[in-house]
Amino acid sequence: MNEKIFSLPVIEQITPYISQRKIGELPIITIVHPKVRAAVTLQGAHLVAWQPAGEKPVLWLSDKTAWAAGKAIRGGVPICWPWFGPAGEPAHGFARSLPWKLSAHDENDDSVMLTLVLESNEQTKKLWPHDFTLFARFRFADRCEIELEAHGDFEATAALHSYFSVADIAGVEVSGLGNSFIDKVNNGSEGTSPDGKQTYPDRVDRIHTQPEDCSVINDKVGKRVIEVYHHYQSDVVTWNPGPELSCSMGDMPNEGYKTMVCVETAHISTPLISAGESPSRLAATIRLRKNA
């Protein structure tokens, strides 16, 4: 899937490193730079690829994604806003399924930066009665930086719902998650993790409410470590659907769960508050550490 994105025909060459293409029904901004490749769909300001030069793809993307207007993309980094989960309709909010606009871009010898914007309109006010301006900023280099900034007067919950590519979920351990969590597989019961680590023998869906500022994904089979630095977060979510749920999801391969893990920078247990000249923010930095 990653190679397919970068072999799509160029519709507009915006700068030497930035071009617009189309995948299915969706416009996509692609970055092809000597030090990094990346791609963001205009629908949802959805990061679907990030790959430093010489490295395998870091983000997982389902090859059963429909790439249809208004339909959520499975994989990459969906922006869940202004609510997380089933707190409203559609699930995980509307930001990930609406068209955004590319409002700014820049590039140099080391990196490429993009800013996308979504503003309230008649459609969003039917779903959520607030005026807002939402910015998604990306910096692509040997690390990937993502920032969500929300302007207006309201409270919201949110997540950068990051899917990471791993060689085999059976050999994955995530650390730095903290000691307490809400177990969504077990009816929202509260649990404790003495060492702040998580493995994935079956379905896992947990909101960690006292996470460290960095989660470390140790992909032992793939011999790679992915560091996820969380900024402005109150929580970190980790999820893997396991075999049964994976088989029931129309936009996920039956064995898709084996090659992905979600570690999400989130603000769920306490709300993000935007007020006047004080926007709310949620951000993540992703970095590879070699030789797991």
Side-chain angles (χ1 to χ4, degrees):
M1 178 57 70
N2 208 61
E3 290 304 319
K4 177 184 176 181
I5 288 172
F6 296 104
S7 63
L8 294 166
V10 173
I11 295 172
E12 179 186 359
Q13 192 69 43
I14 299 170
T15 71
Y17 300 139
I18 304 171
S19 62
Q20 182 169 324
R21 311 183 193 208
K22 191 172 186 181
I23 183 164
E25 298 175 357
L26 306 183
I28 186 169
I29 304 298
T30 57
I31 312 301
V32 180
H33 184 281
K35 294 189 177 180
V36 64
R37 297 197 306 182
V40 179
T41 60
L42 292 183
Q43 175 176 292
H46 193 131
L47 177 61
V48 293
W50 172 64
Q51 183 178 6
E55 301 289 348
K56 296 178 181 178
V58 178
L59 301 176
W60 182 90
L61 189 60
S62 172
D63 58 13
K64 295 185 74 174
T65 284
W67 305 110
K71 190 169 180 60
I73 297 164
R74 176 68 64 187
V77 185
I79 293 174
C80 302
W81 188 92
W83 55 80
F84 179 84
E89 289 292 337
H92 285 323
F94 51 75
R96 66 179 182 154
S97 56
L98 292 180
W100 295 50
K101 294 180 180 178
L102 178 64
S103 64
H105 54 80
D106 197 8
E107 60 187 32
N108 55 41
D109 291 343
D110 296 314
S111 63
V112 176
M113 287 73 77
L114 302 178
T115 300
L116 285 83
V117 63
L118 176 68
E119 295 182 285
S120 52
N121 54 48
E122 290 184 8
Q123 182 181 0
T124 67
K125 288 182 181 179
K126 290 177 182 177
L127 300 169
W128 195 59
H130 298 283
D131 292 312
F132 67 85
T133 302
L134 192 61
F135 294 99
R137 297 187 179 95
F138 301 90
R139 180 179 180 272
F140 302 118
D142 58 353
R143 63 187 62 196
C144 176
E145 300 172 16
I146 310 167
E147 182 181 63
L148 186 66
E149 182 179 283
H151 293 254
D153 291 282
F154 45 77
E155 294 185 357
T157 56
L160 301 172
H161 195 317
S162 309
Y163 289 71
F164 294 99
S165 179
V166 296
D168 185 349
I169 192 63
V172 170
E173 179 184 79
V174 178
S175 59
L177 295 171
N179 302 122
S180 63
F181 60 83
I182 299 166
D183 192 344
K184 296 173 67 181
V185 174
N186 194 22
N187 299 314
S189 63
E190 295 184 1
T192 59
S193 172
D195 59 5
K197 295 180 179 179
Q198 180 67 59
T199 56
Y200 302 83
D202 204 338
R203 181 183 172 193
V204 169
D205 192 353
R206 293 178 173 178
I207 301 172
H208 294 265
T209 55
Q210 295 179 332
E212 297 179 21
D213 289 338
C214 179
S215 300
V216 179
I217 304 168
N218 188 349
D219 177 9
K220 298 174 185 177
V221 176
K223 297 183 178 179
R224 181 164 80 166
V225 168
I226 303 169
E227 298 175 339
V228 187
Y229 295 87
H230 312 287
H231 314 288
Y232 314 110
Q233 83 287 356
S234 64
D235 314 277
V236 169
V237 178
T238 186
W239 178 70
N240 180 279
E244 185 176 349
L245 182 57
S246 192
C247 287
S248 73
M249 299 167 70
D251 58 358
M252 180 170 246
N254 288 351
E255 296 193 344
Y257 73 95
K258 291 184 177 180
T259 56
M260 56 72 63
V261 66
C262 284
V263 178
E264 311 166 32
T265 306
H267 226 294
I268 303 165
S269 59
T270 62
L272 285 163
I273 299 173
S274 301
E277 297 301 312
S278 300
S280 60
R281 291 183 173 87
L282 189 65
T285 301
I286 305 165
R287 191 175 73 133
L288 284 179
R289 188 205 307 165
K290 296 182 181 179
N291 301 321

